[in-house]
Amino acid sequence: PMDCTLQHVSMVQSNAGAGRIKIGKSTDDDAYLAYTTLGVSLTPVELEAPDDFISEVTPRLKKGDIFTFYLDHDGAGGTAADDVTIVFTFEEG
């Protein structure tokens, strides 16, 4: 309902699977992050620096944008991810 900035993403799977996600908006499904592999064996991958995202800019959403993420549970046909946890932290304004 308001402008916000994606400040942090933490993503992990409980096994050594090939799960991955991409992050974008309804008009561009990987505007902020191209497919990136999840952390494995309960060690999360954390994204928070501007250079962790596409164009090396912290993602900013305007009021009315539709935020999307896509989970590919087995990468390009690899081992399926188990017990996936993804946390997004947004800052208002």
Side-chain angles (χ1 to χ4, degrees):
M2 64 205 64
D3 294 353
C4 62
T5 302
L6 179 61
Q7 294 292 341
H8 178 263
V9 179
S10 179
M11 50 194 185
V12 69
Q13 56 198 313
S14 65
N15 63 335
R20 60 188 185 165
I21 69 165
K22 63 181 174 178
I23 302 170
K25 52 188 178 178
S26 60
T27 57
D28 185 355
D29 65 4
D30 62 355
Y32 307 128
L33 184 71
Y35 271 124
T36 300
T37 303
L38 306 170
V40 299
S41 302
L42 301 176
T43 302
V45 166
E46 297 188 67
L47 309 172
E48 58 190 339
D51 61 351
D52 289 337
F53 299 99
I54 288 181
S55 300
E56 298 186 356
V57 175
T58 304
R60 180 151 172 75
L61 290 91
K62 295 180 181 173
K63 180 178 179 177
D65 285 348
I66 299 172
F67 176 80
T68 63
F69 76 93
Y70 294 86
L71 172 63
D72 179 357
H73 77 284
D74 65 356
T79 301
D82 286 335
D83 306 313
V84 173
T85 301
I86 303 169
V87 177
F88 299 101
T89 304
F90 292 91
E91 179 178 60
E92 180 183 339

Coordinates of all heavy atoms in Angstrom, one line a residue:
P1 N 0.8 -1.2 0.0 CA 0.0 0.0 0.0 C 0.8 1.3 0.0 O 0.3 2.4 0.0 CB -0.8 -0.1 1.3 CG 0.0 -1.0 2.2 CD 0.7 -1.9 1.3
M2 N 2.2 1.1 0.0 CA 3.1 2.3 0.1 C 4.4 2.0 -0.6 O 4.7 0.8 -0.8 CB 3.3 2.8 1.5 CG 4.0 1.8 2.4 SD 3.7 1.8 4.1 CE 2.0 1.5 4.2
D3 N 5.2 3.0 -0.9 CA 6.5 2.8 -1.4 C 7.4 2.1 -0.4 O 7.2 2.3 0.8 CB 7.2 4.1 -1.7 CG 6.5 4.9 -2.9 OD1 5.6 4.3 -3.5 OD2 6.9 6.0 -3.1
C4 N 8.3 1.2 -0.8 CA 9.2 0.5 0.1 C 10.4 0.1 -0.6 O 10.5 0.1 -1.8 CB 8.5 -0.7 0.8 SG 8.0 -2.0 -0.4
T5 N 11.4 -0.3 0.2 CA 12.7 -0.8 -0.3 C 13.0 -2.1 0.3 O 12.8 -2.3 1.5 CB 13.8 0.2 0.1 OG1 13.5 1.5 -0.4 CG2 15.2 -0.2 -0.4
L6 N 13.4 -3.0 -0.6 CA 13.8 -4.4 -0.1 C 15.2 -4.2 0.5 O 16.2 -4.0 -0.3 CB 13.8 -5.4 -1.3 CG 14.2 -6.8 -1.0 CD1 13.3 -7.4 0.1 CD2 14.2 -7.6 -2.2
Q7 N 15.3 -4.4 1.8 CA 16.6 -4.2 2.4 C 17.4 -5.5 2.6 O 18.6 -5.5 2.7 CB 16.4 -3.6 3.8 CG 15.8 -2.2 3.8 CD 16.8 -1.2 3.3 OE1 18.0 -1.4 3.2 NE2 16.3 -0.1 2.8
H8 N 16.7 -6.7 2.7 CA 17.5 -7.9 3.0 C 16.7 -9.1 2.6 O 15.4 -9.1 2.6 CB 17.6 -7.9 4.5 CG 18.3 -9.2 5.0 ND1 17.6 -10.2 5.5 CD2 19.6 -9.5 5.1 CE1 18.5 -11.2 5.9 NE2 19.7 -10.8 5.7
V9 N 17.3 -10.1 2.1 CA 16.7 -11.4 1.7 C 17.6 -12.5 2.4 O 18.8 -12.4 2.2 CB 16.7 -11.6 0.2 CG1 16.1 -13.0 -0.1 CG2 15.9 -10.5 -0.5
S10 N 17.0 -13.4 3.0 CA 17.7 -14.6 3.6 C 17.0 -15.8 3.0 O 15.7 -15.9 3.1 CB 17.6 -14.6 5.1 OG 18.3 -15.7 5.6
M11 N 17.7 -16.8 2.4 CA 17.1 -17.9 1.8 C 17.9 -19.2 2.0 O 19.1 -19.2 1.9 CB 16.9 -17.6 0.3 CG 18.1 -17.2 -0.4 SD 17.6 -16.5 -2.0 CE 19.3 -16.2 -2.7
V12 N 17.2 -20.3 2.4 CA 17.9 -21.5 2.7 C 17.0 -22.7 2.5 O 15.8 -22.6 2.5 CB 18.4 -21.4 4.2 CG1 17.2 -21.5 5.2 CG2 19.4 -22.5 4.5
Q13 N 17.7 -23.8 2.3 CA 17.0 -25.1 2.2 C 17.7 -26.1 3.2 O 18.9 -25.8 3.5 CB 17.0 -25.7 0.8 CG 18.4 -25.8 0.2 CD 18.4 -26.0 -1.3 OE1 17.7 -26.8 -1.8 NE2 19.3 -25.2 -1.9
S14 N 17.0 -27.0 3.7 CA 17.6 -27.9 4.8 C 18.6 -28.9 4.2 O 19.4 -29.5 5.0 CB 16.5 -28.6 5.6 OG 15.8 -29.5 4.7
N15 N 18.5 -29.2 2.9 CA 19.4 -30.2 2.3 C 20.4 -29.5 1.4 O 20.4 -28.3 1.3 CB 18.6 -31.3 1.6 CG 17.8 -30.7 0.4 OD1 17.5 -29.5 0.4 ND2 17.5 -31.5 -0.5
A16 N 21.1 -30.3 0.7 CA 22.1 -29.8 -0.3 C 21.4 -29.8 -1.7 O 22.0 -30.3 -2.7 CB 23.4 -30.6 -0.3
G17 N 20.2 -29.3 -1.8 CA 19.4 -29.3 -3.0 C 19.9 -28.2 -4.0 O 20.7 -27.4 -3.7
A18 N 19.2 -28.2 -5.1 CA 19.5 -27.2 -6.1 C 18.5 -26.1 -6.2 O 18.3 -25.5 -7.3 CB 19.7 -27.9 -7.5
G19 N 17.7 -25.9 -5.2 CA 16.6 -24.9 -5.2 C 17.2 -23.5 -5.5 O 18.3 -23.2 -5.1
R20 N 16.4 -22.6 -6.2 CA 16.9 -21.3 -6.5 C 15.6 -20.4 -6.6 O 14.5 -20.9 -6.8 CB 17.7 -21.3 -7.8 CG 16.9 -21.8 -9.0 CD 17.8 -21.9 -10.2 NE 17.0 -22.3 -11.4 CZ 17.4 -22.2 -12.6 NH1 18.6 -21.8 -12.9 NH2 16.6 -22.6 -13.6
I21 N 15.9 -19.1 -6.5 CA 14.8 -18.1 -6.7 C 15.2 -17.0 -7.6 O 16.4 -16.7 -7.7 CB 14.3 -17.5 -5.3 CG1 15.3 -16.6 -4.7 CG2 13.8 -18.6 -4.4 CD1 14.7 -15.7 -3.5
K22 N 14.2 -16.3 -8.1 CA 14.4 -15.0 -8.8 C 13.4 -14.1 -8.2 O 12.3 -14.5 -7.8 CB 14.4 -15.1 -10.3 CG 13.1 -15.6 -10.9 CD 13.2 -15.7 -12.4 CE 11.9 -16.2 -13.0 NZ 12.0 -16.3 -14.5
I23 N 13.7 -12.8 -8.2 CA 12.9 -11.8 -7.6 C 12.6 -10.6 -8.6 O 13.6 -10.2 -9.3 CB 13.6 -11.2 -6.3 CG1 13.9 -12.3 -5.3 CG2 12.7 -10.1 -5.7 CD1 14.7 -11.8 -4.2
G24 N 11.4 -10.2 -8.7 CA 11.1 -9.1 -9.6 C 9.7 -8.5 -9.2 O 9.3 -8.4 -8.1
K25 N 9.1 -8.1 -10.3 CA 7.7 -7.5 -10.2 C 6.9 -8.1 -11.3 O 7.4 -8.7 -12.2 CB 7.8 -6.0 -10.1 CG 8.5 -5.3 -11.2 CD 8.7 -3.9 -11.0 CE 9.5 -3.2 -12.1 NZ 9.6 -1.8 -11.9
S26 N 5.6 -7.8 -11.3 CA 4.7 -8.4 -12.3 C 5.1 -8.1 -13.7 O 4.8 -8.9 -14.6 CB 3.3 -8.0 -12.0 OG 3.1 -6.6 -12.1
T27 N 5.7 -7.0 -13.9 CA 6.1 -6.6 -15.3 C 7.5 -7.0 -15.7 O 7.8 -6.9 -16.9 CB 6.1 -5.0 -15.4 OG1 6.9 -4.4 -14.5 CG2 4.6 -4.5 -15.2
D28 N 8.3 -7.6 -14.8 CA 9.6 -8.1 -15.1 C 10.0 -9.0 -14.0 O 10.4 -8.6 -12.9 CB 10.6 -6.9 -15.2 CG 12.0 -7.3 -15.6 OD1 12.3 -8.5 -15.7 OD2 12.8 -6.4 -15.7
D29 N 9.9 -10.3 -14.2 CA 10.0 -11.3 -13.1 C 11.4 -11.5 -12.5 O 11.6 -12.1 -11.5 CB 9.5 -12.7 -13.5 CG 10.2 -13.3 -14.7 OD1 11.3 -12.8 -15.1 OD2 9.8 -14.4 -15.1
D30 N 12.4 -10.9 -13.2 CA 13.8 -11.0 -12.6 C 14.4 -9.6 -12.6 O 15.6 -9.4 -12.7 CB 14.7 -12.0 -13.2 CG 15.0 -11.7 -14.7 OD1 14.4 -10.7 -15.3 OD2 15.8 -12.4 -15.3
A31 N 13.6 -8.6 -12.3 CA 14.0 -7.2 -12.3 C 15.1 -6.9 -11.2 O 15.9 -6.1 -11.4 CB 12.9 -6.2 -12.1
Y32 N 15.0 -7.6 -10.1 CA 15.8 -7.4 -9.0 C 16.9 -8.4 -8.7 O 17.9 -8.1 -8.2 CB 15.0 -7.2 -7.7 CG 13.9 -6.2 -7.8 CD1 12.6 -6.5 -7.5 CD2 14.1 -4.9 -8.3 CE1 11.5 -5.6 -7.7 CE2 13.1 -4.0 -8.5 CZ 11.8 -4.3 -8.2 OH 10.8 -3.4 -8.3
L33 N 16.6 -9.7 -9.1 CA 17.5 -10.8 -8.9 C 17.3 -11.9 -9.9 O 16.1 -12.4 -10.0 CB 17.4 -11.3 -7.4 CG 18.3 -12.4 -7.0 CD1 19.7 -11.8 -6.8 CD2 17.9 -13.1 -5.7
A34 N 18.3 -12.2 -10.7 CA 18.2 -13.4 -11.6 C 18.3 -14.6 -10.7 O 18.6 -14.6 -9.5 CB 19.3 -13.4 -12.6
Y35 N 17.9 -15.8 -11.3 CA 18.0 -17.0 -10.5 C 19.2 -17.1 -9.7 O 20.3 -17.0 -10.2 CB 17.8 -18.3 -11.4 CG 16.4 -18.7 -11.6 CD1 15.8 -18.8 -12.8 CD2 15.5 -18.9 -10.5 CE1 14.5 -19.2 -13.0 CE2 14.2 -19.3 -10.7 CZ 13.7 -19.4 -11.9 OH 12.4 -19.8 -12.1
T36 N 19.1 -17.3 -8.4 CA 20.2 -17.4 -7.4 C 19.9 -18.6 -6.5 O 18.8 -18.8 -6.0 CB 20.3 -16.2 -6.6 OG1 20.5 -15.1 -7.4 CG2 21.4 -16.3 -5.6
T37 N 20.9 -19.5 -6.3 CA 20.8 -20.7 -5.6 C 20.6 -20.4 -4.1 O 21.2 -19.5 -3.5 CB 22.0 -21.6 -5.7 OG1 22.2 -21.9 -7.1 CG2 21.9 -22.9 -5.0
L38 N 19.7 -21.1 -3.5 CA 19.4 -21.0 -2.0 C 20.6 -21.5 -1.2 O 21.4 -22.3 -1.7 CB 18.2 -21.8 -1.6 CG 16.9 -21.6 -2.4 CD1 15.9 -22.7 -2.0 CD2 16.3 -20.2 -2.1
G39 N 20.7 -21.0 0.0 CA 21.7 -21.6 0.9 C 21.4 -23.1 1.1 O 20.3 -23.5 1.0
V40 N 22.4 -23.8 1.4 CA 22.2 -25.3 1.6 C 22.5 -25.7 3.0 O 23.3 -25.1 3.8 CB 23.1 -26.1 0.6 CG1 22.7 -25.8 -0.8 CG2 24.5 -25.9 0.8
S41 N 21.9 -26.9 3.4 CA 22.2 -27.5 4.7 C 22.1 -26.5 5.9 O 22.9 -26.5 6.8 CB 23.6 -28.2 4.7 OG 23.7 -29.1 3.6
L42 N 21.0 -25.7 5.8 CA 20.6 -24.8 6.9 C 21.6 -23.6 7.0 O 21.6 -22.9 8.0 CB 20.4 -25.5 8.2 CG 19.3 -26.6 8.2 CD1 19.3 -27.3 9.5 CD2 18.0 -26.0 7.8
T43 N 22.5 -23.4 6.0 CA 23.3 -22.2 6.0 C 22.8 -21.2 5.0 O 23.0 -21.4 3.8 CB 24.8 -22.6 5.7 OG1 25.3 -23.5 6.7 CG2 25.7 -21.3 5.7
P44 N 22.1 -20.1 5.4 CA 21.4 -19.3 4.5 C 22.3 -18.4 3.6 O 23.5 -18.1 4.0 CB 20.6 -18.4 5.3 CG 21.2 -18.4 6.7 CD 21.9 -19.7 6.8
V45 N 21.9 -18.1 2.4 CA 22.5 -17.1 1.6 C 21.8 -15.8 2.0 O 20.5 -15.8 2.1 CB 22.3 -17.4 0.1 CG1 22.6 -16.1 -0.8 CG2 23.1 -18.5 -0.3
E46 N 22.5 -14.7 2.2 CA 21.9 -13.5 2.6 C 22.3 -12.4 1.6 O 23.5 -12.3 1.2 CB 22.3 -13.0 4.0 CG 21.8 -14.0 5.1 CD 22.1 -13.6 6.5 OE1 21.4 -12.6 6.9 OE2 22.9 -14.2 7.2
L47 N 21.3 -11.6 1.2 CA 21.5 -10.5 0.2 C 21.1 -9.3 0.9 O 20.0 -9.2 1.4 CB 20.7 -10.7 -1.0 CG 20.8 -12.1 -1.7 CD1 19.7 -12.2 -2.8 CD2 22.2 -12.3 -2.3
E48 N 22.0 -8.3 1.0 CA 21.6 -7.0 1.6 C 22.4 -5.8 1.0 O 21.9 -4.7 1.2 CB 21.8 -7.1 3.1 CG 23.2 -7.4 3.6 CD 23.2 -7.7 5.1 OE1 22.3 -7.3 5.8 OE2 24.2 -8.4 5.5
A49 N 23.5 -6.1 0.4 CA 24.2 -5.0 -0.2 C 23.7 -4.6 -1.6 O 23.2 -5.5 -2.3 CB 25.7 -5.3 -0.3
P50 N 23.7 -3.4 -2.0 CA 23.2 -3.0 -3.3 C 23.8 -3.9 -4.4 O 23.0 -4.2 -5.3 CB 23.6 -1.5 -3.4 CG 23.6 -1.0 -2.0 CD 24.1 -2.2 -1.2
D51 N 25.0 -4.2 -4.3 CA 25.6 -5.0 -5.4 C 25.2 -6.5 -5.4 O 25.6 -7.2 -6.3 CB 27.2 -4.9 -5.4 CG 27.8 -5.3 -4.2 OD1 27.2 -5.7 -3.2 OD2 29.1 -5.4 -4.2
D52 N 24.4 -6.9 -4.4 CA 23.8 -8.2 -4.4 C 22.7 -8.4 -5.4 O 22.3 -9.5 -5.7 CB 23.3 -8.6 -3.0 CG 24.5 -8.9 -2.0 OD1 25.6 -9.2 -2.5 OD2 24.2 -8.8 -0.8
F53 N 22.1 -7.2 -5.8 CA 21.0 -7.2 -6.7 C 21.3 -6.8 -8.1 O 22.4 -6.2 -8.3 CB 19.9 -6.3 -6.1 CG 19.4 -6.8 -4.7 CD1 19.9 -6.2 -3.6 CD2 18.5 -7.8 -4.6 CE1 19.5 -6.6 -2.3 CE2 18.1 -8.2 -3.4 CZ 18.6 -7.6 -2.2
I54 N 20.4 -7.0 -9.0 CA 20.6 -6.6 -10.4 C 20.8 -5.0 -10.5 O 20.1 -4.3 -9.7 CB 19.5 -7.0 -11.3 CG1 19.6 -8.5 -11.5 CG2 19.5 -6.3 -12.7 CD1 18.5 -9.2 -12.4
S55 N 21.7 -4.6 -11.3 CA 22.0 -3.2 -11.5 C 22.7 -2.6 -10.3 O 22.8 -1.3 -10.2 CB 20.8 -2.3 -11.9 OG 20.2 -2.8 -13.0
E56 N 23.0 -3.4 -9.3 CA 23.7 -3.0 -8.1 C 23.0 -1.9 -7.4 O 23.6 -0.9 -6.9 CB 25.2 -2.6 -8.4 CG 26.0 -3.7 -8.9 CD 27.4 -3.5 -9.1 OE1 27.9 -2.3 -8.9 OE2 28.2 -4.4 -9.5
V57 N 21.7 -2.0 -7.3 CA 20.8 -1.0 -6.7 C 19.8 -1.8 -5.8 O 19.3 -2.8 -6.1 CB 20.0 -0.3 -7.7 CG1 18.9 0.6 -7.1 CG2 20.9 0.5 -8.7
T58 N 19.7 -1.3 -4.5 CA 18.7 -1.9 -3.6 C 17.3 -1.8 -4.2 O 16.9 -0.6 -4.6 CB 18.8 -1.2 -2.2 OG1 20.2 -1.3 -1.8 CG2 17.9 -1.9 -1.2
P59 N 16.6 -2.8 -4.4 CA 15.3 -2.8 -5.0 C 14.3 -1.9 -4.3 O 14.1 -1.9 -3.1 CB 14.8 -4.2 -5.0 CG 16.0 -5.0 -4.9 CD 17.0 -4.2 -4.0
R60 N 13.7 -1.0 -5.1 CA 12.7 -0.1 -4.5 C 11.4 -0.3 -5.3 O 11.3 -0.3 -6.5 CB 13.1 1.3 -4.7 CG 12.2 2.4 -4.2 CD 12.9 3.6 -3.8 NE 12.0 4.7 -3.5 CZ 11.2 4.8 -2.4 NH1 11.3 3.8 -1.5 NH2 10.4 5.8 -2.2
L61 N 10.3 -0.5 -4.5 CA 9.0 -0.7 -5.1 C 8.1 0.5 -4.8 O 8.2 1.1 -3.7 CB 8.3 -1.9 -4.5 CG 8.9 -3.2 -4.9 CD1 10.0 -3.7 -3.9 CD2 7.8 -4.3 -5.0
K62 N 7.4 1.0 -5.9 CA 6.5 2.1 -5.7 C 5.1 1.6 -5.3 O 4.8 0.4 -5.7 CB 6.4 2.9 -7.0 CG 7.7 3.5 -7.4 CD 7.5 4.3 -8.7 CE 8.9 4.9 -9.1 NZ 8.8 5.5 -10.4
K63 N 4.3 2.4 -4.7 CA 2.9 2.0 -4.4 C 2.2 1.5 -5.6 O 2.3 2.1 -6.7 CB 2.2 3.2 -3.8 CG 0.8 2.9 -3.4 CD 0.1 4.1 -2.8 CE -1.3 3.8 -2.5 NZ -2.0 4.9 -1.8
G64 N 1.7 0.3 -5.5 CA 1.0 -0.3 -6.6 C 1.8 -1.3 -7.4 O 1.2 -2.1 -8.1
D65 N 3.1 -1.4 -7.2 CA 3.9 -2.4 -7.8 C 3.5 -3.8 -7.2 O 3.2 -3.8 -6.0 CB 5.4 -2.2 -7.6 CG 6.0 -1.1 -8.5 OD1 5.3 -0.6 -9.4 OD2 7.1 -0.6 -8.2
I66 N 3.6 -4.8 -8.0 CA 3.4 -6.1 -7.5 C 4.7 -6.9 -7.4 O 5.3 -7.1 -8.4 CB 2.4 -6.9 -8.4 CG1 1.0 -6.2 -8.5 CG2 2.2 -8.3 -7.9 CD1 0.1 -6.7 -9.5
F67 N 5.1 -7.1 -6.2 CA 6.4 -7.8 -5.9 C 6.2 -9.3 -6.2 O 5.2 -9.9 -5.8 CB 6.8 -7.6 -4.4 CG 8.0 -8.3 -4.0 CD1 9.2 -7.9 -4.3 CD2 7.9 -9.5 -3.3 CE1 10.4 -8.5 -3.9 CE2 9.0 -10.2 -2.8 CZ 10.3 -9.7 -3.1
T68 N 7.1 -10.0 -6.9 CA 7.0 -11.4 -7.2 C 8.3 -12.1 -6.9 O 9.4 -11.5 -6.9 CB 6.7 -11.7 -8.6 OG1 7.7 -11.2 -9.5 CG2 5.4 -11.0 -9.1
F69 N 8.2 -13.3 -6.5 CA 9.4 -14.2 -6.4 C 9.0 -15.6 -6.9 O 7.9 -16.0 -6.8 CB 10.0 -14.3 -5.0 CG 9.3 -15.1 -4.1 CD1 9.7 -16.5 -3.9 CD2 8.3 -14.6 -3.3 CE1 9.0 -17.2 -2.9 CE2 7.6 -15.4 -2.4 CZ 8.0 -16.7 -2.2
Y70 N 9.9 -16.2 -7.6 CA 9.7 -17.5 -8.2 C 10.7 -18.5 -7.5 O 11.9 -18.3 -7.5 CB 9.9 -17.5 -9.7 CG 8.8 -16.7 -10.4 CD1 9.0 -15.3 -10.5 CD2 7.6 -17.2 -10.8 CE1 8.0 -14.5 -11.1 CE2 6.7 -16.5 -11.5 CZ 6.9 -15.1 -11.6 OH 5.9 -14.3 -12.2
L71 N 10.2 -19.6 -7.0 CA 11.0 -20.7 -6.5 C 11.0 -21.8 -7.5 O 10.0 -22.4 -7.8 CB 10.4 -21.1 -5.1 CG 11.0 -22.4 -4.5 CD1 12.5 -22.1 -4.1 CD2 10.2 -22.8 -3.3
D72 N 12.2 -22.1 -7.9 CA 12.5 -23.3 -8.7 C 13.0 -24.4 -7.8 O 14.2 -24.3 -7.4 CB 13.5 -22.9 -9.8 CG 13.8 -24.1 -10.7 OD1 13.3 -25.2 -10.5 OD2 14.6 -23.9 -11.7
H73 N 12.2 -25.3 -7.4 CA 12.6 -26.2 -6.3 C 13.7 -27.2 -6.6 O 14.4 -27.7 -5.7 CB 11.4 -27.0 -5.9 CG 11.0 -28.2 -6.8 ND1 10.4 -27.9 -8.0 CD2 11.2 -29.5 -6.7 CE1 10.3 -29.1 -8.6 NE2 10.7 -30.1 -7.9
D74 N 14.1 -27.4 -7.9 CA 15.2 -28.3 -8.2 C 16.1 -27.8 -9.2 O 16.8 -28.5 -9.9 CB 14.6 -29.7 -8.7 CG 13.9 -29.6 -10.0 OD1 13.7 -28.5 -10.5 OD2 13.5 -30.6 -10.5
G75 N 16.2 -26.4 -9.3 CA 17.2 -25.8 -10.2 C 16.9 -26.3 -11.7 O 15.8 -26.4 -12.1
A76 N 17.9 -26.7 -12.4 CA 17.8 -27.2 -13.7 C 17.7 -28.7 -13.7 O 18.4 -29.4 -14.4 CB 19.0 -26.7 -14.6
G77 N 16.8 -29.2 -12.9 CA 16.6 -30.7 -12.8 C 17.5 -31.4 -11.8 O 17.7 -32.6 -11.9
G78 N 18.0 -30.7 -10.9 CA 18.9 -31.2 -9.8 C 18.1 -31.8 -8.7 O 16.9 -32.1 -8.8
T79 N 18.7 -31.9 -7.5 CA 18.1 -32.4 -6.3 C 17.1 -31.4 -5.8 O 17.4 -30.2 -5.7 CB 19.1 -32.7 -5.2 OG1 20.1 -33.6 -5.7 CG2 18.5 -33.2 -4.0
A80 N 15.9 -31.8 -5.5 CA 14.8 -30.9 -5.0 C 15.2 -30.4 -3.7 O 15.7 -31.1 -2.8 CB 13.5 -31.7 -5.0
A81 N 14.8 -29.1 -3.4 CA 15.0 -28.5 -2.1 C 14.0 -29.0 -1.1 O 12.9 -29.2 -1.4 CB 14.9 -27.0 -2.3
D82 N 14.5 -29.2 0.1 CA 13.6 -29.6 1.2 C 13.5 -28.4 2.2 O 14.5 -27.7 2.4 CB 14.2 -30.8 2.0 CG 14.0 -32.1 1.2 OD1 13.1 -32.2 0.4 OD2 14.9 -33.0 1.5
D83 N 12.4 -28.2 2.8 CA 12.2 -27.3 3.9 C 12.8 -25.9 3.6 O 13.6 -25.4 4.3 CB 12.8 -27.8 5.2 CG 12.3 -29.2 5.6 OD1 11.1 -29.4 5.5 OD2 13.2 -30.1 5.8
V84 N 12.3 -25.3 2.6 CA 12.7 -24.0 2.1 C 12.2 -22.9 3.0 O 11.0 -22.9 3.4 CB 12.3 -23.7 0.7 CG1 12.6 -22.3 0.2 CG2 13.0 -24.7 -0.3
T85 N 13.1 -21.9 3.4 CA 12.7 -20.8 4.2 C 13.3 -19.5 3.4 O 14.4 -19.5 3.1 CB 13.2 -20.8 5.6 OG1 12.7 -21.9 6.3 CG2 12.8 -19.5 6.4
I86 N 12.4 -18.6 3.2 CA 12.8 -17.3 2.5 C 12.2 -16.2 3.3 O 11.0 -16.1 3.6 CB 12.3 -17.2 1.1 CG1 12.8 -18.4 0.2 CG2 12.8 -15.9 0.4 CD1 12.2 -18.5 -1.1
V87 N 13.1 -15.2 3.7 CA 12.6 -14.1 4.5 C 13.0 -12.8 3.7 O 14.2 -12.6 3.3 CB 13.3 -14.1 5.9 CG1 12.9 -12.8 6.7 CG2 13.0 -15.3 6.7
F88 N 12.0 -12.0 3.5 CA 12.2 -10.7 2.9 C 12.0 -9.6 3.9 O 11.0 -9.6 4.7 CB 11.2 -10.4 1.7 CG 11.3 -11.5 0.6 CD1 10.4 -12.5 0.6 CD2 12.2 -11.4 -0.3 CE1 10.4 -13.4 -0.5 CE2 12.3 -12.3 -1.4 CZ 11.4 -13.3 -1.4
T89 N 12.9 -8.6 4.0 CA 12.8 -7.5 4.9 C 12.7 -6.2 4.1 O 13.5 -5.9 3.3 CB 14.0 -7.4 5.8 OG1 14.2 -8.6 6.5 CG2 13.8 -6.3 6.9
F90 N 11.5 -5.5 4.3 CA 11.3 -4.3 3.6 C 11.3 -3.1 4.6 O 11.0 -3.2 5.7 CB 9.9 -4.3 3.0 CG 9.7 -5.3 1.8 CD1 9.3 -6.6 2.1 CD2 10.0 -5.0 0.5 CE1 9.2 -7.5 1.1 CE2 9.9 -5.9 -0.5 CZ 9.5 -7.1 -0.2
E91 N 11.7 -2.0 4.0 CA 11.6 -0.7 4.8 C 10.6 0.2 4.1 O 10.7 0.4 2.9 CB 13.0 -0.1 4.8 CG 13.1 1.2 5.6 CD 14.5 1.8 5.6 OE1 15.0 2.1 4.5 OE2 15.0 2.0 6.7
E92 N 9.7 0.7 4.9 CA 8.7 1.6 4.4 C 9.3 3.0 4.0 O 10.2 3.5 4.6 CB 7.7 1.9 5.5 CG 6.6 2.8 5.1 CD 5.6 3.0 6.2 OE1 5.5 2.2 7.2 OE2 4.9 4.0 6.1
G93 N 8.8 3.5 2.9 CA 9.2 4.9 2.5 C 10.0 4.9 1.2 O 10.3 4.0 0.6

